[in-house]
Amino acid sequence: MLLALASRRISTLTIRHAARLLGDEGKARSAVRRLLRKGWLQRASGGHYVVLPPEWGAEKIEDYDVYVLASASVDEGYIGWWAAASRHGFTTQVPNMIHVATTRQTPPREIQGNPVRYVKLSPRKFFGWQEMESFGRKFRISTPEKTLVDCADRPDLCGGVTELVRIIARGTESIRSEILVEAAIQLGSVSTCQRLAYLLDLSAPSFLAGSVRKKLRSFIPSSARSVLGRDERGPKDIGYVPEWGLLVNAEETDLLAEVGSYSRGMGR
């Protein structure tokens, strides 16, 4: 019965699901062990498995896409931040750690030699993912727009501020400003919106325009103040940006160092 899951193109399986199908947890664990030995399943984490596509045949496949396994390793979660930016083509950097957004506290683990860290998000921030396919299996990943918003919310999870500017600059080449601003406001963080707005202006000056710009500006209270960059201001730093209420403790040349020839000035 479990093997029939593959023919129905179910991508993932849990012990809990198998126990419901077979009516007994002991039988479910025994069946899962057999399918693991035969190569029909690949372990993602304790109790979570990826089902081998039927057209591959019953062969042990060791090089599953680690994103598929990481996504399947929790009941609710999606690939996010730097790994998502890399997958969407917003950076040429290959992150050395995969971050998975989850709704529950989950300890880090290693999957196929790759470190995976789970980031618990509040229900308010846990939204904005899509399914992406890899070698016949699907995995959950943040949408292009939510990827930019999540990275602006946690620059430390996407390689730092300079890499964040690169990601935003490249992202504006293919996303719509209306959808991006809606996602930023839905996240509900004023400081995230301040960072995102300023870095959009810096890396793609024409991207935020008209009613979209006004909508984002109206979400940020006039009294709101945030800091981007170092704790203390340097002599050549950009300083205070009144429109967004942001104190930028970084030099413009440093922020744009990784942007290169991306489409500054392009808007959608």
Side-chain angles (χ1 to χ4, degrees), residues 74-103:
V74 288
D75 291 331
E76 291 185 317
Y78 63 82
I79 305 296
W81 296 282
W82 208 357
S86 177
R87 201 66 173 221
H88 286 305
F90 297 161
T91 177
T92 56
Q93 298 295 315
V94 178
N96 55 13
M97 180 178 293
I98 297 172
H99 289 94
V100 179
T102 65
T103 56

Side-chain angles (χ1 to χ4, degrees), residues 165-176:
V165 181
R166 179 216 295 259
I167 291 168
I168 289 175
R170 187 66 178 265
T172 60
E173 296 179 355
S174 58
I175 67 175
R176 294 179 57 189

Side-chain angles (χ1 to χ4, degrees), residues 61-259:
I61 304 295
E62 298 295 344
D63 57 348
Y64 268 78
D65 189 331
V66 67
Y67 284 25
V68 174
L69 297 174
S71 171
S73 65
V74 288
D75 291 331
E76 291 185 317
Y78 63 82
I79 305 296
W81 296 282
W82 208 357
S86 177
R87 201 66 173 221
H88 286 305
F90 297 161
T91 177
T92 56
Q93 298 295 315
V94 178
N96 55 13
M97 180 178 293
I98 297 172
H99 289 94
V100 179
T102 65
T103 56
R104 297 180 180 180
Q105 199 71 37
T106 306
R109 58 171 53 98
E110 191 172 283
I111 298 178
Q112 287 191 346
N114 297 274
V116 178
R117 177 183 169 191
Y118 301 88
V119 182
K120 182 182 177 182
L121 296 183
S122 65
R124 171 173 56 85
K125 292 185 177 183
F126 192 79
F127 70 92
W129 64 85
Q130 65 185 55
E131 286 193 335
M132 188 176 284
E133 186 167 313
S134 177
F135 299 107
R137 299 291 80 174
K138 293 181 178 179
F139 64 93
R140 298 179 299 275
I141 186 171
S142 54
T143 65
E145 294 80 11
K146 185 62 174 354
T147 298
L148 263 61
V149 172
D150 281 346
C151 288
D153 188 50
R154 292 288 305 272
D156 58 308
L157 301 185
C158 70
V161 176
T162 301
E163 179 67 7
L164 171 60
V165 181
R166 179 216 295 259
I167 291 168
I168 289 175
R170 187 66 178 265
T172 60
E173 296 179 355
S174 58
I175 67 175
R176 294 179 57 189
S177 60
E178 297 91 342
I179 300 176
L180 177 63
V181 168
E182 286 177 4
I185 292 174
Q186 184 177 347
L187 191 80
S189 169
V190 171
S191 60
T192 297
C193 287
Q194 289 172 299
R195 287 192 292 271
L196 180 63
Y198 170 71
L199 293 177
L200 284 168
D201 280 353
L202 179 68
S203 61
S206 301
F207 186 75
L208 286 178
S211 60
V212 175
R213 187 181 192 87
K214 184 177 180 180
K215 184 176 182 179
L216 183 58
R217 185 65 193 87
S218 65
F219 176 75
I220 301 171
S222 58
S223 60
R225 299 291 182 270
S226 295
V227 177
L228 174 68
R230 296 182 291 267
D231 293 335
E232 296 184 5
R233 183 177 175 183
K236 295 182 180 181
D237 287 351
I238 294 166
Y240 184 63
V241 182
E243 182 174 10
W244 303 114
L246 188 68
L247 180 62
V248 183
N249 290 338
E251 297 181 26
E252 183 173 310
T253 53
D254 290 340
L255 292 179
L256 293 174
E258 299 298 328
V259 173

